[in-house]
């Protein structure tokens, strides 16, 4: 019998700072059977915490994303529609081909001036106030404005969308999670209907509705809803946490903050080290063993679910020496914050551009930036890593 480690036993301390627990698990071995903390406390799964094993698992085709191959349906797929993170090749290859062109480094680079203008506009509104919650005033509005503009989501809808979206990725209870998915499904159906009626608008969602792929391929209505869901949610919830964690960590490391201020060319390195040290996605989304396999010598049975620990892997001392140390001068190459393999983050170039622009502009325009009290609660659940609020003054 495999020992099951109950992550719920570590209580709230695990939510605030899971790294010591992951470090202890890594010392015991690269793969563990765990029971998740609330609100997923009913769920047992395999958790991969070693870097090499995590990287291999992310690219292992025997670990399926499409739960229907072993009779599992996810809430988002059931209530909203199929999307990239619940499909495997060849369906995944087909869906990804329909959107990948919009997110290449070159296409994203064209957004640079607009991202800079949105960033400046947010700071114009925030800076005269002298103090603010950085999440509310800056880290959240920036990526949600960018992704909503890109997709063509009207401004009026964004506050309500934010509530549903955060509850879907970091639910406070199973009921509220279900409710958020039901409301998101209704919201996206309405949004797509409105776009269909509105005619061409030059945005990505409109393009996806109207245009066919090179081989005449089109998204079905459920695929369209799934795609809109994934792009909107993955396109901002994560970047919020990258910006707020980067600012929080830099403010807690004055020496490195001073180095970045003295040489803004180091902003890119600070963003990469934040991704490695406090990555916004704590664990990758579920994978399922489509056939029996071994990970790090541990037998996994067909149908078992597997969580790949991205933040755990990125603090593996065999890969990143002194992993708990935040060090903007270290070699961060190979970090797994954006995943690995065919599901590697589609939005990585966009996320990097937004975070680099945000940090560079903020440090430039708020030279006396400081913490204004402790940060808010860390998000619940095992998917996202970030704080709900970050009080700062300048
Ligand atoms: C700092 C910000 C971000 C982080 C840390 C991040 C992280 C990740 C990770 C770890 C995955 C793989 C999940 C898995 O294999 O289970 C992923 C996939 C994905 N991300 Fe991101 N992401 C970020 C920003 C974005 C943005 C801005 C977009 C906007 C388009 C985006 C869109 C996607 C999509 C569509 C996928 C699914 C790709 C596929 O299955 O082929 N992400 N992201």
């Amino acid at each position: 019998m495999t020992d099951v480690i109950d992550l719920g036993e570590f209580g709230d301390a695990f939510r605030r700072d899971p790294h010591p627990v992951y470090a202890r698990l890594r010392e015991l071995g690269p793969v563990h059977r765990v029971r998740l903390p609330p609100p997923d406390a009913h769920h047992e799964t395999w958790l991969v915490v070693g870097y090499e094993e995590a990287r291999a698992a992310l690219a292992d085709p025997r670990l399926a994303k499409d739960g229907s191959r072993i009779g599992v349906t996810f809430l988002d797929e059931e209530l909203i529609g199929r999307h990239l993170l619940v499909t495997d090749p060849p369906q995944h290859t087909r869906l990804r081909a329909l959107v990948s062109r919009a997110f290449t480094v070159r296409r994203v680079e064209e957004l640079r001036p607009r991202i800079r203008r949105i960033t400046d506009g947010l700071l114009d509104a925030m800076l005269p106030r002298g103090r603010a919650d950085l999440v509310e005033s800056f880290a959240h509005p920036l990526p949600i404005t960018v992704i909503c503009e890109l997709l063509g989501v009207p401004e009026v809808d964004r506050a309500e969308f934010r509530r549903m979206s955060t509850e879907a990725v970091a639910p406070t209870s199973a009921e509220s999670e279900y409710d958020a998915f039901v409301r998101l499904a209704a919201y996206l159906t309405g949004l797509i209907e409105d776009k269909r009626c509105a005619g061409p608008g030059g945005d990505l969602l409109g393009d996806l509705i109207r245009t066919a792929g090179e081989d005449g391929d089109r998204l079905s209505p459920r695929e369209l809803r799934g795609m809109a869901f994934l792009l909107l949610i993955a396109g901002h919830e994560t970047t919020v946490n990258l910006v707020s964690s980067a600012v929080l960590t830099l403010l807690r490391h004055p020496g490195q903050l001073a180095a970045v201020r003295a040489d803004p060319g180091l902003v890119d390195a600070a963003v990469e080290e934040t991704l490695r040290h406090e990555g916004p996605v704590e664990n990758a989304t579920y994978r399922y063993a489509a056939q029996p396999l071994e990970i790090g010598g541990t037998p996994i049975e067909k149908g078992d679910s597997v969580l790949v620990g991205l933040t755990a892997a990125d603090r593996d001392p065999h890969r990143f020496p002194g992993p708990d140390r935040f060090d903007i001068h270290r070699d961060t190459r190979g970090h797994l914050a954006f995943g690995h393999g065919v599901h590697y983050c589609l939005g990585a170039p966009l996320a990097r551009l937004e975070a680099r622009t945000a940090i560079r502009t903020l440090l430039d325009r708020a030279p006396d930036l400081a913490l204004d009290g402790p940060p808010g609660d860390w998000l619940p659940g095992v998917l996202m890593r970030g704080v709900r609020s970050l009080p700062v003054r300048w």
Side-chain angles (χ1 to χ4, degrees), residues 13-285:
F14 179 71
R15 181 161 55 90
R16 285 193 299 270
D17 183 9
H19 300 296
V21 173
Y22 291 145
R24 245 180 292 164
L25 293 181
R26 267 192 321 265
E27 279 165 21
L28 296 171
V31 182
H32 299 276
R33 187 82 187 150
V34 297
R35 188 169 305 119
L36 296 180
D40 306 303
H42 54 282
H43 195 80
E44 273 184 24
T45 183
W46 294 102
L47 176 66
V48 184
V49 290
Y51 178 87
E52 288 306 334
E53 293 77 9
R55 189 176 161 88
L58 288 170
D60 192 329
R62 295 170 301 175
L63 289 175
K65 297 292 294 154
D66 180 354
S68 70
R69 282 165 70 182
I70 46 114
V72 174
T73 322
F74 298 98
L75 208 52
D76 42 358
E77 187 180 348
E78 182 190 324
L79 295 175
I80 293 178
R82 307 208 95 196
H83 59 73
L84 290 167
L85 283 174
V86 291
T87 48
D88 296 308
Q91 293 92 334
H92 172 267
T93 322
R94 173 189 154 250
L95 290 178
R96 187 146 172 152
L98 288 168
V99 282
S100 55
R101 261 173 301 159
F103 291 97
T104 57
V105 175
R106 228 188 74 226
R107 282 295 291 279
V108 165
E109 194 49 43
E110 291 166 15
L111 300 174
R112 182 184 288 273
R114 181 65 192 133
I115 291 175
R116 181 64 212 252
R117 274 202 303 281
I118 297 170
T119 306
D120 274 326
L122 292 169
L123 291 178
D124 289 345
M126 182 182 101
L127 291 177
R129 301 209 307 266
R131 59 189 351 152
D133 168 8
L134 193 86
V135 175
E136 175 81 31
S137 301
F138 189 60
H140 197 278
L142 172 62
I144 201 167
T145 305
V146 173
I147 197 70
C148 284
E149 279 191 11
L150 205 61
L151 279 150
V153 175
E155 184 106 28
V156 282
D157 290 352
R158 290 182 199 164
E160 168 64 0
F161 179 76
R162 176 182 176 183
R163 278 188 290 279
M164 296 185 282
S165 162
T166 306
E167 197 54 37
V169 293
T172 40
S173 72
E175 295 75 42
S176 67
E177 181 183 16
Y178 189 86
D179 183 53
F181 275 106
V182 171
R183 286 187 300 133
L184 271 171
Y187 169 79
L188 292 169
T189 304
L191 179 68
I192 291 168
E193 261 327 294
D194 290 350
K195 288 232 148 280
R196 245 187 246 288
C197 301
D203 54 66
L204 182 58
L205 200 50
D207 283 355
L208 287 172
I209 291 170
R210 277 178 301 275
T211 50
E214 274 164 20
D215 52 358
D217 194 9
R218 252 177 211 283
L219 292 168
S220 74
R222 274 180 60 78
E223 286 172 338
L224 191 58
R225 208 163 65 166
M227 187 72 89
F229 163 79
L230 182 64
L231 292 176
L232 276 169
I233 298 234
H236 82 281
E237 289 291 349
T238 43
T239 313
V240 178
N241 298 326
L242 177 55
V243 172
S244 54
S245 291
V247 174
L248 175 62
T249 315
L250 281 170
L251 291 176
R252 283 177 169 169
H253 293 79
Q256 300 194 52
L257 176 60
V260 177
R261 284 194 180 285
D263 176 5
L266 287 173
V267 165
D268 294 11
V271 167
E272 287 313 300
E273 174 64 346
T274 306
L275 283 161
R276 183 209 64 85
H277 180 260
E278 202 67 279
V281 180
E282 187 167 331
N283 294 287
T285 53

Side-chain angles (χ1 to χ4, degrees), residues 283-355:
N283 294 287
T285 53
Y286 282 110
R287 283 158 168 75
Y288 289 88
Q291 62 187 77
L293 72 151
E294 276 195 4
I295 305 180
T298 302
I300 312 284
E301 283 179 29
K302 180 175 175 179
D304 281 0
S305 69
V306 175
L307 272 185
V308 180
L310 304 180
T311 52
D314 281 342
R315 290 209 192 191
D316 184 335
H318 295 109
R319 183 64 183 77
F320 298 105
D324 295 330
R325 206 179 55 242
F326 178 76
D327 177 5
I328 58 170
H329 297 291
R330 80 162 71 232
D331 184 354
T332 54
R333 276 175 300 178
H335 73 64
L336 297 178
F338 288 120
H340 177 61
V342 295
H343 293 282
Y344 181 81
C345 179
L346 178 76
L350 179 59
R352 284 190 165 114
L353 179 60
E354 287 178 18

